[in-house]
Amino acid sequence: MIYKKYIKRSMDITLSLIAIIFLSPVLLVVAILVRNKLGFPVLFKQKRPGLNEKIFTLYKFRTMRDEDGALLPDSVRLTKFGGFLRSTSLDELPELFNILKGDMSIIGPRPLLIQYIPLYNENQKRRHEVRPGLSGLAQVSGRNTISWDDKFELDVEYVDNVSFIRDWKIIFLTLKRVLAREGVNAEGNATIEPFKGAQGKEQ
């Protein structure tokens, strides 16, 4: 498909560059607030699998405080300020640089943890056939309030149906949901429950 192979990447570069320029004051203010409220480092960096499971470094604004190495639950480490960053998706803004670099796309399956890779069944692994996204079909269909199986089904559905119209529809739905702060956390949890493996794993 012409859009998927040629146009999508050009659109990612253009939109991420425009967003970085336009949102640079917001990025600066959030960085200063994170520094003042949570200290260093300002950015949270973590290795994630991207296109064809190639590993890259994901950038986000830090939302949790350190407790001198203590293994405390996310609900304790996640501050009120961090919760605000997550609910408004402001913590995701540094990923615009991942998009500009080519690690990610504006729209695609969200990049998850490396340790999940061996837990996927063959169909779920197909989510890595495209670049991971800042937002995706699963995020506008429930975000962190739907099950892992439903998320992966939506991810693969997106992979099979990438199009210019669908991407722009997801962009507009993302903006709508972010403004409404919908589906940020799974019910009863500060963050979503970890993925523990595919149900009825296919070989």
Side-chain angles (χ1 to χ4, degrees):
M1 181 186 292
I2 294 177
Y3 171 72
K4 183 177 179 179
K5 192 171 183 180
Y6 301 107
I7 301 175
K8 184 173 171 67
R9 178 61 190 145
S10 297
M11 188 175 80
D12 286 338
I13 293 171
T14 302
L15 291 180
S16 61
L17 187 58
I18 291 173
I20 288 169
I21 294 170
F22 181 74
L23 295 172
S24 56
V26 178
L27 286 161
L28 179 60
V29 169
V30 174
I32 292 171
L33 289 173
V34 171
R35 168 65 182 90
N36 289 338
K37 292 180 178 292
L38 298 174
F40 285 117
V42 170
L43 291 180
F44 169 79
K45 301 177 184 180
Q46 190 174 57
K47 299 294 184 182
R48 299 285 178 97
L51 177 64
N52 298 321
E53 297 182 5
K54 180 180 178 181
I55 307 302
F56 70 97
T57 301
L58 177 83
Y59 305 115
K60 286 187 177 187
F61 281 122
R62 179 180 169 191
T63 59
M64 293 188 182
R65 61 171 176 251
D66 291 329
E67 295 291 342
D68 298 323
L71 297 177
L72 297 176
D74 287 348
S75 58
V76 175
R77 295 177 59 225
L78 183 64
T79 65
K80 184 176 180 180
F81 172 67
F84 169 77
L85 291 182
R86 290 191 179 195
S87 69
T88 56
S89 293
L90 288 171
D91 65 317
E92 309 279 0
L93 290 181
E95 291 170 44
L96 290 168
F97 293 96
N98 285 120
I99 296 169
L100 194 61
K101 287 172 55 184
D103 299 326
M104 294 176 60
S105 179
I106 297 291
I107 301 301
R110 285 292 296 163
L112 300 176
L113 301 177
I114 293 174
Q115 55 262 40
Y116 290 172
I117 293 176
L119 302 179
Y120 298 141
N121 62 35
E122 291 304 312
N123 190 54
Q124 291 169 347
K125 285 182 180 179
R126 296 192 58 227
R127 68 192 311 277
H128 294 124
E129 292 178 10
V130 297
R131 284 184 178 87
L134 183 64
S135 183
L137 183 59
Q139 281 60 53
V140 299
S141 303
R143 201 172 178 182
N144 285 345
T145 62
I146 60 176
S147 70
W148 281 111
D149 285 345
D150 288 342
K151 279 188 179 184
F152 294 141
E153 285 182 14
L154 290 166
D155 288 343
V156 174
E157 179 185 335
Y158 175 80
V159 170
D160 289 334
N161 298 281
V162 176
S163 72
F164 178 83
I165 293 175
R166 169 164 278 201
D167 275 6
W168 276 100
K169 181 178 179 181
I170 294 173
I171 288 171
F172 287 123
L173 286 172
T174 298
L175 293 173
K176 178 182 176 183
R177 290 188 178 276
V178 167
L179 291 173
R181 303 191 194 181
E182 294 177 351
V184 177
N185 299 323
E187 185 177 356
N189 296 284
T191 55
I192 191 170
E193 286 292 318
F195 179 56
K196 298 178 180 178
Q199 299 296 318
K201 190 168 181 177
E202 301 168 9
Q203 302 297 328

mmCIF file of all heavy atoms in Angstrom, residues 59-94:
data_model
loop_
_atom_site.group_PDB
_atom_site.id
_atom_site.type_symbol
_atom_site.label_atom_id
_atom_site.label_comp_id
_atom_site.label_asym_id
_atom_site.label_seq_id
_atom_site.Cartn_x
_atom_site.Cartn_y
_atom_site.Cartn_z
ATOM 1 N N TYR A 59 11.058 7.662 25.337
ATOM 2 C CA TYR A 59 11.162 8.817 26.225
ATOM 3 C C TYR A 59 9.783 9.253 26.696
ATOM 4 O O TYR A 59 8.851 9.391 25.905
ATOM 5 C CB TYR A 59 11.825 9.992 25.496
ATOM 6 C CG TYR A 59 13.166 9.686 24.901
ATOM 7 C CD1 TYR A 59 13.352 9.710 23.520
ATOM 8 C CD2 TYR A 59 14.260 9.367 25.708
ATOM 9 C CE1 TYR A 59 14.586 9.423 22.960
ATOM 10 C CE2 TYR A 59 15.502 9.084 25.152
ATOM 11 C CZ TYR A 59 15.650 9.107 23.777
ATOM 12 O OH TYR A 59 16.873 8.823 23.228
ATOM 13 N N LYS A 60 9.677 9.480 28.004
ATOM 14 C CA LYS A 60 8.473 10.053 28.595
ATOM 15 C C LYS A 60 8.894 11.010 29.705
ATOM 16 O O LYS A 60 10.017 10.923 30.205
ATOM 17 C CB LYS A 60 7.582 8.967 29.236
ATOM 18 C CG LYS A 60 6.811 8.085 28.302
ATOM 19 C CD LYS A 60 5.879 7.202 29.134
ATOM 20 C CE LYS A 60 5.009 6.322 28.272
ATOM 21 N NZ LYS A 60 4.001 5.601 29.094
ATOM 22 N N PHE A 61 7.978 11.887 30.105
ATOM 23 C CA PHE A 61 8.232 12.647 31.321
ATOM 24 C C PHE A 61 8.020 11.734 32.521
ATOM 25 O O PHE A 61 7.087 10.924 32.539
ATOM 26 C CB PHE A 61 7.311 13.868 31.426
ATOM 27 C CG PHE A 61 7.744 15.031 30.585
ATOM 28 C CD1 PHE A 61 6.897 15.553 29.623
ATOM 29 C CD2 PHE A 61 8.992 15.608 30.761
ATOM 30 C CE1 PHE A 61 7.290 16.631 28.839
ATOM 31 C CE2 PHE A 61 9.396 16.678 29.985
ATOM 32 C CZ PHE A 61 8.541 17.196 29.018
ATOM 33 N N ARG A 62 8.859 11.858 33.490
ATOM 34 C CA ARG A 62 8.766 11.057 34.707
ATOM 35 C C ARG A 62 7.482 11.409 35.464
ATOM 36 O O ARG A 62 7.115 12.571 35.591
ATOM 37 C CB ARG A 62 9.986 11.351 35.568
ATOM 38 C CG ARG A 62 10.049 10.630 36.876
ATOM 39 C CD ARG A 62 11.331 11.041 37.580
ATOM 40 N NE ARG A 62 11.363 10.606 38.950
ATOM 41 C CZ ARG A 62 12.261 11.022 39.822
ATOM 42 N NH1 ARG A 62 13.178 11.887 39.457
ATOM 43 N NH2 ARG A 62 12.239 10.578 41.059
ATOM 44 N N THR A 63 6.795 10.387 35.989
ATOM 45 C CA THR A 63 5.561 10.612 36.741
ATOM 46 C C THR A 63 5.595 9.996 38.139
ATOM 47 O O THR A 63 4.708 10.258 38.945
ATOM 48 C CB THR A 63 4.343 10.024 35.995
ATOM 49 O OG1 THR A 63 4.551 8.619 35.797
ATOM 50 C CG2 THR A 63 4.137 10.714 34.661
ATOM 51 N N MET A 64 6.614 9.182 38.420
ATOM 52 C CA MET A 64 6.685 8.508 39.721
ATOM 53 C C MET A 64 7.915 8.960 40.502
ATOM 54 O O MET A 64 8.937 9.302 39.918
ATOM 55 C CB MET A 64 6.732 6.991 39.539
ATOM 56 C CG MET A 64 5.454 6.415 38.985
ATOM 57 S SD MET A 64 5.498 4.607 39.020
ATOM 58 C CE MET A 64 3.910 4.229 38.272
ATOM 59 N N ARG A 65 7.793 8.946 41.806
ATOM 60 C CA ARG A 65 8.920 9.305 42.662
ATOM 61 C C ARG A 65 9.681 8.044 43.057
ATOM 62 O O ARG A 65 9.106 6.963 43.148
ATOM 63 C CB ARG A 65 8.439 10.036 43.911
ATOM 64 C CG ARG A 65 7.510 9.238 44.798
ATOM 65 C CD ARG A 65 7.246 9.953 46.126
ATOM 66 N NE ARG A 65 6.272 9.209 46.909
ATOM 67 C CZ ARG A 65 5.033 9.615 47.126
ATOM 68 N NH1 ARG A 65 4.610 10.753 46.622
ATOM 69 N NH2 ARG A 65 4.208 8.881 47.852
ATOM 70 N N ASP A 66 10.964 8.204 43.267
ATOM 71 C CA ASP A 66 11.788 7.107 43.763
ATOM 72 C C ASP A 66 11.715 7.091 45.283
ATOM 73 O O ASP A 66 11.626 8.135 45.923
ATOM 74 C CB ASP A 66 13.248 7.291 43.327
ATOM 75 C CG ASP A 66 13.421 7.101 41.837
ATOM 76 O OD1 ASP A 66 12.672 6.310 41.260
ATOM 77 O OD2 ASP A 66 14.298 7.774 41.259
ATOM 78 N N GLU A 67 11.767 5.885 45.851
ATOM 79 C CA GLU A 67 11.734 5.759 47.309
ATOM 80 C C GLU A 67 12.994 5.043 47.785
ATOM 81 O O GLU A 67 12.941 3.984 48.404
ATOM 82 C CB GLU A 67 10.473 4.991 47.737
ATOM 83 C CG GLU A 67 9.166 5.725 47.432
ATOM 84 C CD GLU A 67 8.966 6.965 48.288
ATOM 85 O OE1 GLU A 67 9.647 7.073 49.328
ATOM 86 O OE2 GLU A 67 8.148 7.813 47.915
ATOM 87 N N ASP A 68 14.153 5.604 47.416
ATOM 88 C CA ASP A 68 15.443 5.042 47.827
ATOM 89 C C ASP A 68 15.561 3.562 47.496
ATOM 90 O O ASP A 68 16.060 2.753 48.277
ATOM 91 C CB ASP A 68 15.663 5.241 49.343
ATOM 92 C CG ASP A 68 15.692 6.716 49.713
ATOM 93 O OD1 ASP A 68 16.240 7.511 48.920
ATOM 94 O OD2 ASP A 68 15.172 7.060 50.782
ATOM 95 N N GLY A 69 15.064 3.217 46.311
ATOM 96 C CA GLY A 69 15.197 1.836 45.851
ATOM 97 C C GLY A 69 14.166 0.887 46.419
ATOM 98 O O GLY A 69 14.170 -0.294 46.100
ATOM 99 N N ALA A 70 13.273 1.362 47.264
ATOM 100 C CA ALA A 70 12.254 0.486 47.855
ATOM 101 C C ALA A 70 11.269 0.025 46.783
ATOM 102 O O ALA A 70 10.894 0.782 45.910
ATOM 103 C CB ALA A 70 11.502 1.234 48.958
ATOM 104 N N LEU A 71 10.882 -1.247 46.862
ATOM 105 C CA LEU A 71 9.947 -1.796 45.899
ATOM 106 C C LEU A 71 8.520 -1.521 46.356
ATOM 107 O O LEU A 71 7.874 -2.347 46.991
ATOM 108 C CB LEU A 71 10.188 -3.306 45.733
ATOM 109 C CG LEU A 71 11.555 -3.692 45.168
ATOM 110 C CD1 LEU A 71 11.698 -5.209 45.115
ATOM 111 C CD2 LEU A 71 11.733 -3.104 43.767
ATOM 112 N N LEU A 72 8.036 -0.339 46.053
ATOM 113 C CA LEU A 72 6.695 0.058 46.447
ATOM 114 C C LEU A 72 5.751 -0.027 45.250
ATOM 115 O O LEU A 72 6.182 0.100 44.104
ATOM 116 C CB LEU A 72 6.714 1.493 46.985
ATOM 117 C CG LEU A 72 7.555 1.716 48.247
ATOM 118 C CD1 LEU A 72 7.567 3.188 48.621
ATOM 119 C CD2 LEU A 72 7.025 0.872 49.403
ATOM 120 N N PRO A 73 4.457 -0.249 45.497
ATOM 121 C CA PRO A 73 3.500 -0.327 44.391
ATOM 122 C C PRO A 73 3.377 1.009 43.658
ATOM 123 O O PRO A 73 3.637 2.077 44.226
ATOM 124 C CB PRO A 73 2.187 -0.703 45.090
ATOM 125 C CG PRO A 73 2.359 -0.270 46.506
ATOM 126 C CD PRO A 73 3.814 -0.453 46.815
ATOM 127 N N ASP A 74 2.955 0.921 42.378
ATOM 128 C CA ASP A 74 2.810 2.126 41.567
ATOM 129 C C ASP A 74 1.854 3.128 42.192
ATOM 130 O O ASP A 74 2.033 4.342 42.073
ATOM 131 C CB ASP A 74 2.300 1.756 40.165
ATOM 132 C CG ASP A 74 3.385 1.080 39.333
ATOM 133 O OD1 ASP A 74 4.555 1.124 39.757
ATOM 134 O OD2 ASP A 74 3.053 0.522 38.278
ATOM 135 N N SER A 75 0.817 2.633 42.883
ATOM 136 C CA SER A 75 -0.170 3.518 43.490
ATOM 137 C C SER A 75 0.448 4.431 44.536
ATOM 138 O O SER A 75 -0.041 5.533 44.790
ATOM 139 C CB SER A 75 -1.308 2.699 44.120
ATOM 140 O OG SER A 75 -0.795 1.808 45.097
ATOM 141 N N VAL A 76 1.559 3.979 45.151
ATOM 142 C CA VAL A 76 2.266 4.776 46.154
ATOM 143 C C VAL A 76 3.263 5.708 45.477
ATOM 144 O O VAL A 76 3.393 6.872 45.843
ATOM 145 C CB VAL A 76 2.986 3.865 47.171
ATOM 146 C CG1 VAL A 76 3.826 4.702 48.132
ATOM 147 C CG2 VAL A 76 1.969 3.026 47.936
ATOM 148 N N ARG A 77 3.977 5.189 44.491
ATOM 149 C CA ARG A 77 5.014 5.968 43.808
ATOM 150 C C ARG A 77 4.427 7.029 42.872
ATOM 151 O O ARG A 77 5.081 8.029 42.587
ATOM 152 C CB ARG A 77 5.920 5.021 43.019
ATOM 153 C CG ARG A 77 6.709 4.056 43.892
ATOM 154 C CD ARG A 77 7.535 3.109 43.037
ATOM 155 N NE ARG A 77 8.455 3.858 42.188
ATOM 156 C CZ ARG A 77 8.645 3.586 40.893
ATOM 157 N NH1 ARG A 77 7.965 2.628 40.302
ATOM 158 N NH2 ARG A 77 9.513 4.292 40.213
ATOM 159 N N LEU A 78 3.218 6.798 42.366
ATOM 160 C CA LEU A 78 2.591 7.756 41.455
ATOM 161 C C LEU A 78 2.049 8.935 42.247
ATOM 162 O O LEU A 78 1.145 8.792 43.066
ATOM 163 C CB LEU A 78 1.453 7.088 40.680
ATOM 164 C CG LEU A 78 0.737 7.959 39.638
ATOM 165 C CD1 LEU A 78 1.699 8.366 38.520
ATOM 166 C CD2 LEU A 78 -0.467 7.226 39.059
ATOM 167 N N THR A 79 2.622 10.110 42.024
ATOM 168 C CA THR A 79 2.202 11.308 42.755
ATOM 169 C C THR A 79 0.945 11.904 42.139
ATOM 170 O O THR A 79 0.537 11.535 41.034
ATOM 171 C CB THR A 79 3.324 12.360 42.714
ATOM 172 O OG1 THR A 79 3.510 12.781 41.349
ATOM 173 C CG2 THR A 79 4.623 11.807 43.257
ATOM 174 N N LYS A 80 0.342 12.842 42.863
ATOM 175 C CA LYS A 80 -0.830 13.540 42.336
ATOM 176 C C LYS A 80 -0.460 14.288 41.058
ATOM 177 O O LYS A 80 -1.212 14.287 40.075
ATOM 178 C CB LYS A 80 -1.368 14.518 43.388
ATOM 179 C CG LYS A 80 -2.654 15.221 42.965
ATOM 180 C CD LYS A 80 -3.178 16.099 44.088
ATOM 181 C CE LYS A 80 -4.476 16.795 43.663
ATOM 182 N NZ LYS A 80 -5.010 17.667 44.751
ATOM 183 N N PHE A 81 0.706 14.908 41.067
ATOM 184 C CA PHE A 81 1.188 15.603 39.879
ATOM 185 C C PHE A 81 1.427 14.616 38.739
ATOM 186 O O PHE A 81 1.065 14.871 37.589
ATOM 187 C CB PHE A 81 2.487 16.348 40.214
ATOM 188 C CG PHE A 81 3.166 16.941 39.022
ATOM 189 C CD1 PHE A 81 2.594 17.989 38.314
ATOM 190 C CD2 PHE A 81 4.404 16.452 38.601
ATOM 191 C CE1 PHE A 81 3.219 18.537 37.203
ATOM 192 C CE2 PHE A 81 5.044 16.998 37.503
ATOM 193 C CZ PHE A 81 4.450 18.039 36.798
ATOM 194 N N GLY A 82 2.027 13.464 39.057
ATOM 195 C CA GLY A 82 2.245 12.439 38.044
ATOM 196 C C GLY A 82 0.943 11.923 37.470
ATOM 197 O O GLY A 82 0.833 11.675 36.269
ATOM 198 N N GLY A 83 -0.056 11.760 38.332
ATOM 199 C CA GLY A 83 -1.376 11.328 37.878
ATOM 200 C C GLY A 83 -1.992 12.341 36.922
ATOM 201 O O GLY A 83 -2.646 11.966 35.937
ATOM 202 N N PHE A 84 -1.772 13.629 37.211
ATOM 203 C CA PHE A 84 -2.266 14.683 36.320
ATOM 204 C C PHE A 84 -1.583 14.594 34.954
ATOM 205 O O PHE A 84 -2.241 14.694 33.910
ATOM 206 C CB PHE A 84 -2.015 16.056 36.942
ATOM 207 C CG PHE A 84 -2.242 17.202 35.996
ATOM 208 C CD1 PHE A 84 -3.533 17.611 35.684
ATOM 209 C CD2 PHE A 84 -1.166 17.852 35.405
ATOM 210 C CE1 PHE A 84 -3.745 18.661 34.792
ATOM 211 C CE2 PHE A 84 -1.368 18.901 34.528
ATOM 212 C CZ PHE A 84 -2.657 19.305 34.210
ATOM 213 N N LEU A 85 -0.265 14.378 34.955
ATOM 214 C CA LEU A 85 0.452 14.254 33.683
ATOM 215 C C LEU A 85 -0.082 13.080 32.871
ATOM 216 O O LEU A 85 -0.246 13.178 31.653
ATOM 217 C CB LEU A 85 1.950 14.066 33.933
ATOM 218 C CG LEU A 85 2.723 15.258 34.506
ATOM 219 C CD1 LEU A 85 4.204 14.901 34.631
ATOM 220 C CD2 LEU A 85 2.559 16.492 33.630
ATOM 221 N N ARG A 86 -0.368 11.976 33.552
ATOM 222 C CA ARG A 86 -0.879 10.802 32.847
ATOM 223 C C ARG A 86 -2.298 11.019 32.331
ATOM 224 O O ARG A 86 -2.618 10.650 31.209
ATOM 225 C CB ARG A 86 -0.846 9.577 33.759
ATOM 226 C CG ARG A 86 0.557 9.090 34.033
ATOM 227 C CD ARG A 86 0.535 7.735 34.700
ATOM 228 N NE ARG A 86 1.881 7.254 34.938
ATOM 229 C CZ ARG A 86 2.183 5.999 35.247
ATOM 230 N NH1 ARG A 86 1.210 5.101 35.342
ATOM 231 N NH2 ARG A 86 3.433 5.633 35.449
ATOM 232 N N SER A 87 -3.146 11.612 33.168
ATOM 233 C CA SER A 87 -4.539 11.797 32.768
ATOM 234 C C SER A 87 -4.685 12.763 31.598
ATOM 235 O O SER A 87 -5.636 12.668 30.822
ATOM 236 C CB SER A 87 -5.375 12.289 33.962
ATOM 237 O OG SER A 87 -5.010 13.613 34.324
ATOM 238 N N THR A 88 -3.740 13.678 31.467
ATOM 239 C CA THR A 88 -3.754 14.630 30.360
ATOM 240 C C THR A 88 -2.851 14.189 29.208
ATOM 241 O O THR A 88 -2.792 14.861 28.176
ATOM 242 C CB THR A 88 -3.284 16.018 30.837
ATOM 243 O OG1 THR A 88 -1.985 15.891 31.422
ATOM 244 C CG2 THR A 88 -4.256 16.605 31.851
ATOM 245 N N SER A 89 -2.147 13.074 29.392
ATOM 246 C CA SER A 89 -1.187 12.538 28.418
ATOM 247 C C SER A 89 -0.002 13.460 28.170
ATOM 248 O O SER A 89 0.741 13.286 27.204
ATOM 249 C CB SER A 89 -1.879 12.206 27.079
ATOM 250 O OG SER A 89 -2.782 11.138 27.236
ATOM 251 N N LEU A 90 0.222 14.422 29.062
ATOM 252 C CA LEU A 90 1.384 15.301 28.922
ATOM 253 C C LEU A 90 2.692 14.533 29.101
ATOM 254 O O LEU A 90 3.726 14.921 28.546
ATOM 255 C CB LEU A 90 1.306 16.445 29.940
ATOM 256 C CG LEU A 90 0.247 17.519 29.678
ATOM 257 C CD1 LEU A 90 0.129 18.455 30.872
ATOM 258 C CD2 LEU A 90 0.582 18.311 28.408
ATOM 259 N N ASP A 91 2.642 13.437 29.857
ATOM 260 C CA ASP A 91 3.857 12.634 30.046
ATOM 261 C C ASP A 91 4.335 11.989 28.751
ATOM 262 O O ASP A 91 5.498 11.609 28.619
ATOM 263 C CB ASP A 91 3.629 11.564 31.118
ATOM 264 C CG ASP A 91 2.584 10.541 30.719
ATOM 265 O OD1 ASP A 91 1.532 10.939 30.179
ATOM 266 O OD2 ASP A 91 2.805 9.326 30.946
ATOM 267 N N GLU A 92 3.429 11.869 27.763
ATOM 268 C CA GLU A 92 3.767 11.215 26.505
ATOM 269 C C GLU A 92 4.459 12.141 25.503
ATOM 270 O O GLU A 92 4.984 11.679 24.484
ATOM 271 C CB GLU A 92 2.483 10.659 25.844
ATOM 272 C CG GLU A 92 1.609 9.815 26.736
ATOM 273 C CD GLU A 92 2.079 8.380 26.865
ATOM 274 O OE1 GLU A 92 3.116 8.050 26.237
ATOM 275 O OE2 GLU A 92 1.430 7.596 27.567
ATOM 276 N N LEU A 93 4.465 13.451 25.758
ATOM 277 C CA LEU A 93 4.957 14.403 24.760
ATOM 278 C C LEU A 93 6.393 14.151 24.285
ATOM 279 O O LEU A 93 6.688 14.345 23.095
ATOM 280 C CB LEU A 93 4.828 15.838 25.293
ATOM 281 C CG LEU A 93 3.397 16.377 25.410
ATOM 282 C CD1 LEU A 93 3.407 17.814 25.915
ATOM 283 C CD2 LEU A 93 2.681 16.297 24.059
ATOM 284 N N PRO A 94 7.325 13.720 25.149
ATOM 285 C CA PRO A 94 8.684 13.453 24.645
ATOM 286 C C PRO A 94 8.746 12.377 23.560
ATOM 287 O O PRO A 94 9.733 12.286 22.827
ATOM 288 C CB PRO A 94 9.449 13.031 25.899
ATOM 289 C CG PRO A 94 8.747 13.742 27.012
ATOM 290 C CD PRO A 94 7.291 13.668 26.629
#
